[in-house]
Structures are given as C-alpha cells and as structure tokens.
Amino acid sequence: MRIVFMGTPEFSVPVLDALVAAGHEIAAVYSQPPRPAGRGKKERPSPVQARAEALGLEARHPVSLKGVEAQQAFAALDADVAVVVAYGLILPQAVLDAPARGCLNIHASLLPRWRGAAPIHRAIMAGDAQTGVCIMQMDAGLDTGDVLLRREIDIAPRETTGDLHDRLATLGAEAIVDALARLDTLTPVPQAEDGVTYASKIDKAEARIDWAQPAPEIVRLINGLSPFPGAWSDMGGERVKFLRAAASDLFLRPGEVHVDGDRMIIGAGHGSVEVLNLQRAGKKAAPVADVLKGWTPEARFL
C-alpha cells in the first residue's frame, strides 16, 4: 500500500519502522519542523524526521498544511492512505480527503475516553485500570472519527507515563499493520456519545506536589508526570523531582519525610507515599536507594 506517514515524536518511530518492515511503500514522511535544542540551541530534527532520513525516505516538515501549495504537494503524492500518529499539526479537510482511503490515526487511548493531547498522562493520573490504542478514521473533529480497531492493555500499579508510552508505541505499531492488512473487512464503529473525556495538555503548574492530598492521588500524579515534566516539591530549598512512587501504610504527617535505610516515605493527607525514583536539582534521575547514599533530606517539606 502506498502510504504517507505523519508523526513527530519518539512515540511515532516504532510505527514508521513497522510500516516499512511490513513492506508498505512510504511515499513521504511528514513531521514538525526542526526545533532549537541543547545548549547551543541548534536546530534539531524531530525523532521521526531523523529516522526517515536514516531509512532513506523523503522527509517533509512544513510549518503548516493550511496553504494551497502545501495541500497540492500532499495530494500529488497520490497515496492510498495516510497514517497519522502524534503529528502535532491540524489536518485541513483538503488533506484529510486527499488519500484514496483517507487518513488513519493511531490514538493512545480507548476512545472516546481521553481525546486530545495527553491521553497517556491523563490515564495514569486518573487511576485508570486499562488503556490501549485505537485506529481511527480521521475527520474534522478532535479525535471524533469512527474506530476501525482497538487494542486494550492493563496499566500496572507502579507504571509511569514513560513506561506506558513505550508499551503503547509498540502496540500501536502492531495495530496499524493489522488494520492495514484487513482494511477491506474492518467495519468503522462510531464512537459512543457517553464516556467522552478530554486529555488536556499538561500544564507545568500541575506538577507541584501538594502533600495534603491523599496518597493515592499523589502517587498517580508522580507516576503520570514521569519522566516529563516531573512532579516536584521544594526540599530544604532544593527543587526535587519525584519520578516513581507507590502507596505506603506508614502513618506520617503531611510532608513529613521518613528515611529508613535505602527507603524514603513521605506523609500525605491520607496515607503516605514511598518514593522509588527521584532527581535532585542538577543531577541525574536515579533509584532512591542510590540517591540516599550521598544525601540526607530535610525532616519536612515546606
């Protein structure tokens, strides 16, 4: 099948690799433009662009697809289908209509739950027991199209967004290859009107931990915001990021820190939180046992 692939971050790379491995013809790869990165602020191509170039594929990175010239260039590829995963640009109707069989999106949630920008983060932060991927026929709405195929997985108790991201990327790659192979026989299923939720973009203001909140909520916040942007709190005047946590039965006052050997437990409004991974300012993220070898934390958070 002749495919235009559209994606930008690391999440999209396994999908591109899977399409190539399955023998599909990649007419072109679209990603967002290179961005300044690193200390020198040099422009760095997106992970998808870098992978496309390594595979010898044509890589395009228009700033927008709203212009007639960009839309004509897309249509001229004469694709059977476009596969879209975490691309990051809105597709105008002219682009949605250009491929002979439309545009298929790989969305990292069980639609209609968690439409929008941050479905993996929000699923963990909400305490969902399950999530998955949906192969969706794109329309002009925000993740509102009919679903062709869905795959479900359980979310583990201590799983972070980073962990789940990697599992869903692999699952999405497998699902789109399966969907394309069975495209003639799959029946589009309209999304239910009940159960719609929106996964709004993560605001950095959400990342500061309030230790007066119940422990399960804090655990979900820590795991859901790991590795980025990272839930944090001031500890003795130092901003510390907490990157993996679990609930604990130890009774402590909210914000009180208890260190026992290589374990750190912090009191919450109801229950307490065992910190499993953290990152001190200016240092690398590490298991808490390693961090505690050279650091004695303050008795309380302020």
Side-chain angles (χ1 to χ4, degrees):
M1 194 171 290
R2 185 171 170 83
I3 294 173
V4 174
F5 182 77
M6 310 180 83
T8 297
E10 286 288 351
F11 184 81
S12 310
V13 173
V15 180
L16 177 58
D17 286 340
L19 293 174
V20 172
H24 293 288
E25 178 188 359
I26 307 301
V29 174
Y30 279 70
S31 68
Q32 289 199 44
R35 308 291 189 195
R39 292 183 179 180
K41 296 298 180 182
K42 293 183 179 179
E43 287 197 343
R44 181 180 298 172
S46 73
V48 164
Q49 180 184 339
R51 184 58 180 154
E53 292 173 349
L55 291 169
L57 302 173
E58 180 185 354
R60 300 181 179 183
H61 43 79
V63 175
S64 170
L65 292 170
K66 295 180 180 180
V68 173
E69 185 175 343
Q71 293 174 11
Q72 290 176 341
F74 183 88
L77 292 168
D78 196 26
D80 295 313
V81 67
V83 172
V84 185
V85 51
Y87 178 40
L89 291 182
I90 294 174
L91 304 190
Q93 193 64 47
V95 172
L96 293 173
D97 294 340
R101 308 193 69 167
C103 299
L104 302 183
N105 177 248
I106 305 171
H107 188 75
S109 80
L110 299 176
L111 293 167
R113 187 163 178 78
W114 302 129
R115 294 174 178 172
I120 303 176
H121 296 80
R122 297 298 177 189
I124 291 180
M125 291 168 71
D128 290 359
Q130 280 192 325
T131 187
V133 295
C134 286
I135 308 300
M136 178 192 71
Q137 289 184 327
M138 295 183 71
D139 59 19
L142 177 63
D143 300 326
T144 56
D146 293 350
V147 174
L148 291 173
L149 183 150
R150 65 175 61 220
R151 296 277 178 84
E152 300 179 0
I153 58 173
D154 293 336
I155 300 175
R158 298 183 179 184
E159 194 159 25
T160 67
T161 286
D163 300 332
L164 189 54
H165 167 283
D166 293 347
R167 291 208 293 140
L168 289 175
T170 299
L171 187 66
E174 296 169 352
I176 190 62
V177 169
D178 183 18
L180 291 172
R182 298 193 288 131
L183 197 55
D184 291 333
T185 60
L186 292 175
T187 301
V189 178
Q191 294 184 38
E193 295 183 4
D194 295 332
V196 175
T197 59
Y198 290 93
S200 57
K201 185 177 179 180
I202 299 297
D203 189 325
K204 289 186 178 180
E206 298 179 72
R208 183 164 190 170
I209 300 171
D210 178 1
W211 296 103
Q213 295 299 310
E217 186 172 323
I218 296 174
V219 169
R220 294 196 299 267
L221 178 74
I222 290 172
N223 294 339
L225 297 184
S226 175
F228 182 83
W232 65 275
S233 188
D234 282 323
M235 196 169 199
E238 177 183 349
R239 179 177 289 200
V240 177
K241 287 186 177 182
F242 299 86
L243 300 175
R244 192 185 302 271
S248 169
D249 294 331
L250 188 66
F251 178 78
L252 298 168
R253 293 169 295 173
E256 182 181 358
V257 181
H258 174 79
V259 175
D260 181 10
D262 60 0
R263 299 177 67 194
M264 178 190 292
I265 300 174
I266 302 173
H270 184 273
S272 55
V273 175
E274 180 169 4
V275 180
L276 303 174
N277 292 74
L278 57 78
Q279 181 177 15
R280 296 184 63 195
K283 300 185 182 297
K284 294 182 179 181
V288 71
D290 294 342
V291 178
L292 289 175
K293 290 177 182 176
W295 180 53
T296 302
E298 295 288 331
R300 284 185 61 84
F301 285 94
L302 300 177

